[in-house]
Every structure is written in C-alpha cells, then in structure tokens.
Amino acid sequence: MRTAKDWKQFEVIDTSGGEKLERWGDVILTRPDPQVIWNTPKGDVWRKTNARYLRSSSGGGKWEIKNMPRDHWTIEYKQLRFKISPTGFKHTGLFPEQAVNWDFMADKIKNAGREVSILNLFAYTGGATLACAAAGAKVCHVDASKGMVAWARENAQLSNLQDKPIRWIVDDCKKFVEREIRRGNRYDGIVMDPPSYGRGPGGEVWKLEDSIYDLVELCAQVLSDDPLFFLLNSYTTGLSPSVMEYILGVTVGKQHKGKVSSSEIGLPVSQSGYVLPCGSTAIWEK
C-alpha cells in the first residue's frame, strides 16, 4: 500500500465503529467510513471532536456541531494550500490520501526535461491540478460541477498559483474528451478520479464498473506520442486495483511502452500505527 505520510496539518487520529476521527488543521471532525468495520475501544480523544457527521437511515445525513470555530479554514500540504469546509454529504473538499499521487505526478513533471501538458478529469477541488501546476505543467482542469471548479480556483489563489497556465473547464468529462479528440489536442499526462456512481448528460445513471473501460479507452486517444503517465483512481470497493491495472495495460499499455502498476492508497492512523485504506490507484508510466 502507498501511504500519504507527509502531512503536517492533517491527521487520522483514530478509527473505530464505522467512523474515523481526523484533525484538519486545528479542527477535529468525526466522519463515517465504510472501511472501518472494527470496534476497537474509543478513548477520551474522541470527545475532542468539533463536529460529527451523522448518517440518516433514509440516505444522506447531517453534521452535529459541537464547537465549530468557523465554517471554513485552510490547511497546507508542502507548498499547496486548500480551503476546507464540511459539506452536506460528509466531505470536506479534499481527499488527503491523494497526496501520494500528487507527489508522484509532480516528480514525473519535474524530471521530464520538457514542457508538459496534463489533463485532470473529474478534477473536484483541484488537488492534482495544483500539484501539477506547481511542478511546472500546463493543466486542463475539467469537472461537471461549476461550484467545484470555483472552489478549485479559490485553492489556486490560496496556493499563489492563479497565474499558472491552468484551463478551468465546467463540462461533462466524456463529452469534453470527445471534443478534444476531434480538435486534435493531446496531453502528456492524464489523471482521472471518477465517482463510483454518476449521471450522464441525459440524466442516465451509470456505475463506474460498467463504464470505466470505455472511458479509459476513450481518454487514451488524447495522449501525446510521448506521454509520461496515466493515473486512474477509484473509491469503488467492487473495482480492485488489479482490474484497473489490467484495463490500463490493454489500453494505454498497448499503445505506449512503459510499465503498469496498481495498489491501495491509505493514511496512517496515529492511535493504532496501522494504515487506513482509502481507495485504489492504477498507473501507467513511461
């Protein structure tokens, strides 16, 4: 497992009973996590939480506020800064385990020895976008949510990256890639972080397991002749790292020489010393 262990302002303090206790800067949150199927004793540290997300039996849920000093704040990862704000569906605007992938991409870009263009699909609040831009790449950031793209732009300003060559696109990712193919635009690296479930532009419901192969095959068509990487993330428990690795191998790996790998990614848990699994990543790299 690859572990995002270089955080200073974020920490998974403990996990138990379907929940994780996290420190985001000076704010402590309790959030549900389906991976936490153990019931280890909850010590006094759990009483320090500022807010706890409670799931509803009818779906969704709400935050139980105990002592929240503010509704949003910032945390840092190396030279990057992010706005954190608890949202209606338990999220905070950042997936800190992805830092291990930000470092991988930044290293590839810095060592490329040439100008690099990156496509970030399902780009959310821009963690990968900012990491790649800070490393010197031109980045195309695509997400279907206008609000998430606005949040990403805010993060770029917080990180003093607002003047970097970043294209901010609000669009359906599949339709955008189809247009890029017709326009002849190409990228040296692609990062994809698609949701487990989604709705297409016509409102149709789609599952990642049913759509991922076709999506990767489509996106492979916008890779340059000498690409650096194709990175694919998944939080879908039914989609194993090995399956994603296989998909990258028979699509990107068939067109370009390189190596394919996959692994779980995770975050260290302070109280136990173990690592909390937080999804999977498969990578094709030059």
Side-chain angles (χ1 to χ4, degrees):
M1 185 184 294
R2 295 163 61 233
T3 307
K5 56 184 183 295
D6 292 337
W7 281 97
K8 301 289 191 294
Q9 295 188 351
F10 170 84
E11 173 191 12
V12 180
I13 301 169
D14 199 8
T15 61
S16 182
E19 294 181 311
K20 54 188 174 183
L21 185 71
E22 305 166 305
R23 177 177 62 84
W24 299 81
D26 61 353
V27 178
I28 296 178
L29 301 177
T30 300
R31 296 193 296 157
D33 191 312
Q35 299 277 24
V36 182
I37 61 173
W38 45 89
N39 286 294
T40 48
K42 289 185 174 181
D44 290 341
V45 69
W46 286 81
R47 295 182 187 147
K48 297 178 181 179
T49 188
N50 296 104
R52 181 187 183 197
Y53 188 86
L54 301 174
R55 284 198 183 279
S56 168
S57 58
S58 58
K62 65 177 182 179
W63 286 95
E64 178 186 69
I65 306 298
K66 297 191 176 182
N67 178 27
M68 280 290 282
R70 63 194 81 84
D71 62 1
H72 69 270
W73 61 99
T74 61
I75 66 171
E76 296 178 2
Y77 181 75
K78 299 181 178 178
Q79 77 271 45
L80 306 178
R81 290 175 60 86
F82 302 99
K83 183 181 89 169
I84 303 301
S85 181
T87 66
F89 186 61
K90 84 171 182 177
H91 296 305
T92 63
L94 194 68
F95 292 96
E97 64 275 5
Q98 287 297 327
V100 72
N101 288 327
W102 304 340
D103 291 342
F104 163 81
M105 291 183 284
D107 185 63
K108 282 287 188 184
I109 292 163
K110 289 175 183 175
N111 292 317
R114 56 185 168 96
E115 187 177 81
V116 173
S117 179
I118 303 297
L119 175 62
N120 186 10
L121 297 170
F122 309 96
Y124 195 48
T125 58
T129 293
L130 302 189
C132 292
K138 295 191 300 181
V139 186
C140 182
H141 174 109
V142 187
D143 197 281
S145 169
K146 185 177 181 180
M148 289 300 108
V149 174
W151 194 334
R153 295 187 77 147
E154 194 172 346
N155 286 336
Q157 284 207 315
L158 289 169
S159 302
N160 293 315
L161 296 171
Q162 66 271 20
D163 296 326
K164 294 293 184 179
I166 304 171
R167 292 172 63 202
W168 305 102
I169 308 291
V170 179
D171 202 352
D172 175 81
C173 289
K174 180 173 180 289
K175 288 190 173 296
F176 177 79
V177 171
E178 288 170 343
R179 284 194 293 273
E180 289 292 85
I181 292 170
R182 293 195 292 270
R183 288 188 284 244
N185 290 334
R186 298 292 180 263
Y187 299 89
D188 302 302
I190 295 175
V191 52
M192 286 175 50
D193 203 348
S196 298
Y197 298 93
R199 290 189 178 273
E204 65 277 11
V205 178
W206 64 277
K207 291 173 63 178
L208 182 60
E209 303 99 301
D210 300 333
S211 308
I212 189 64
Y213 173 78
D214 292 339
L215 197 54
V216 171
E217 190 176 41
L218 181 74
C219 293
Q221 296 180 55
V222 295
L223 282 172
S224 67
D225 292 335
D226 187 22
L228 294 179
F229 61 81
F230 192 125
L231 190 147
L232 175 62
N233 288 307
S234 171
Y235 293 92
T236 304
T237 53
L239 194 60
S240 74
S242 298
V243 168
M244 296 195 300
E245 178 179 341
Y246 194 99
I247 289 171
L248 284 182
V250 297
T251 52
V252 181
K254 202 171 180 181
Q255 301 171 26
H256 303 280
K257 289 184 178 179
K259 66 176 183 178
V260 186
S261 61
S262 64
S263 65
E264 288 185 288
I265 56 175
L267 291 162
V269 180
S270 299
Q271 289 286 324
S272 69
Y274 293 108
V275 176
L276 176 67
C278 301
S280 304
T281 300
I283 301 172
W284 174 92
E285 60 183 297
K286 181 180 176 182

